[in-house]
């Protein structure tokens, strides 16, 4: 009887800790979606193909490459090309750094080493989600994208990609921005798809 009571107390503590952590991470946050313009934004990019949980490996390689040409700060974002339900091994992601704020010499160095792409201006569904730690990258999409899908259904809207903006690499940021461009042809992003044809 005493053992069962001890087990019950331990389970209760674990459940309390789990709920508290979920709340701290923003798990109970109400997702408020609005329309907002995004772009144009020019970025230099790096490709990743495969499961999202392996994205950090590509980010590390990408960072080493831009640091090798003297870039010390990346205002980062990612473009996700594939819809839900795509097999993990086929997922295509574009990692990018905004090119605004660089000197002419830095831009020339970037253009000599990286592919660049301009995200056009568009009306977007957008929202934000708190960033607490690395787990936020996994929790946030499970909260945000179902809400986006609900809005798209209600408004009979169509989108072609998803964009997540993470912010500067040299300082801590407190939120992730999510955008879904509306009314832009998928053909606009065809140059990004072609980057994967040899992979």
């Amino acid at each position: 009887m005493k053992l069962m009571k001890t087990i019950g107390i331990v389970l209760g503590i674990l459940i309390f800790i789990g709920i508290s952590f979920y709340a701290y991470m923003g798990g109970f946050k109400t997702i408020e979606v609005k329309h907002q313009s995004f772009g144009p934004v020019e970025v230099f990019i790096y490709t990743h193909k495969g499961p999202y949980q392996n994205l950090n490996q590509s980010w590390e390689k990408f960072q080493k490459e831009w640091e090798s040409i003297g870039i010390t700060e990346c205002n980062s974002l990612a473009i996700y090309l594939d819809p839900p339900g795509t097999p993990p091994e086929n997922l295509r992601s574009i990692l990018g750094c905004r090119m605004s704020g660089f000197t002419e010499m830095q831009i020339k160095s970037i253009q000599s080493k990286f592919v660049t792409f301009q995200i056009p201006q568009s009306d977007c569904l957008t929202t934000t989600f708190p960033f607490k730690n690395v787990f936020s990258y996994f929790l946030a999409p499970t909260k945000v994208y179902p809400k986006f899908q609900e809005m798209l259904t209600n408004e009979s809207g169509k989108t072609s990609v998803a964009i997540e903006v993470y912010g500067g690499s040299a300082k801590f940021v407190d939120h992730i921005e999510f955008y879904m461009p509306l009314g832009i042809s998928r053909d606009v992003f065809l140059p990004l798809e072609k980057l994967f044809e040899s992979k």
Side-chain angles (χ1 to χ4, degrees):
M1 193 72 178
K2 186 176 180 181
L3 177 61
M4 293 299 294
K5 184 177 180 180
T6 301
I7 292 173
I9 291 173
V10 171
L11 286 175
I13 292 173
L14 291 175
I15 291 171
F16 175 77
I17 291 173
I19 293 173
S20 298
F21 182 71
Y22 186 71
Y24 167 75
M25 293 295 297
F28 297 114
K29 172 183 167 62
T30 299
I31 304 299
E32 298 180 358
V33 179
K34 61 182 180 180
H35 285 264
Q36 182 177 308
S37 178
F38 179 80
V41 176
E42 188 172 12
V43 292
F44 62 93
I45 59 179
Y46 190 91
T47 60
H48 170 84
K49 186 173 184 179
Y52 294 143
Q53 59 262 37
N54 296 337
L55 271 168
N56 64 311
Q57 299 171 18
S58 291
W59 274 112
E60 289 174 2
K61 293 176 183 177
F62 184 31
Q63 182 171 354
K64 286 180 181 178
E65 291 201 9
W66 50 258
E67 286 182 340
S68 73
I69 58 172
I71 304 299
T72 59
E73 168 72 351
C74 171
N75 191 345
S76 61
L77 56 77
I79 304 170
Y80 297 96
L81 299 175
D82 297 298
T86 301
E89 65 273 14
N90 294 333
L91 290 169
R92 298 166 299 173
S93 311
I94 301 293
L95 314 180
C97 298
R98 295 186 190 221
M99 292 182 66
S100 57
F102 291 118
T103 66
E104 186 175 339
M105 184 176 295
Q106 287 175 318
I107 290 175
K108 287 181 179 179
S109 295
I110 289 168
Q111 291 173 335
S112 69
K113 187 173 182 65
F114 295 97
V115 173
T116 64
F117 180 77
Q118 181 158 294
I119 304 170
Q121 182 177 4
S122 66
D123 175 49
C124 295
L125 294 180
T126 183
T127 192
T128 63
F129 195 85
F131 178 80
K132 300 294 185 179
N133 52 51
V134 68
F135 295 110
S136 297
Y137 294 127
F138 301 99
L139 175 61
T142 69
K143 300 287 292 182
V144 169
Y145 290 116
K147 191 66 177 180
F148 275 174
Q149 189 56 52
E150 179 185 324
M151 292 286 290
L152 288 170
T153 300
N154 291 340
E155 298 180 2
S156 298
K158 293 184 179 180
T159 188
S160 47
V161 299
I163 301 170
E164 298 179 13
V165 177
Y166 308 114
S169 60
K171 59 182 179 179
F172 183 80
V173 294
D174 60 6
H175 67 277
I176 303 170
E177 299 173 9
F178 291 81
Y179 296 91
M180 269 197 167
L182 301 174
I184 292 185
S185 170
R186 178 71 177 198
D187 290 346
V188 170
F189 299 94
L190 192 58
L192 300 181
E193 293 189 39
K194 288 184 177 297
L195 297 175
F196 293 89
E197 290 182 354
S198 61
K199 291 184 178 294

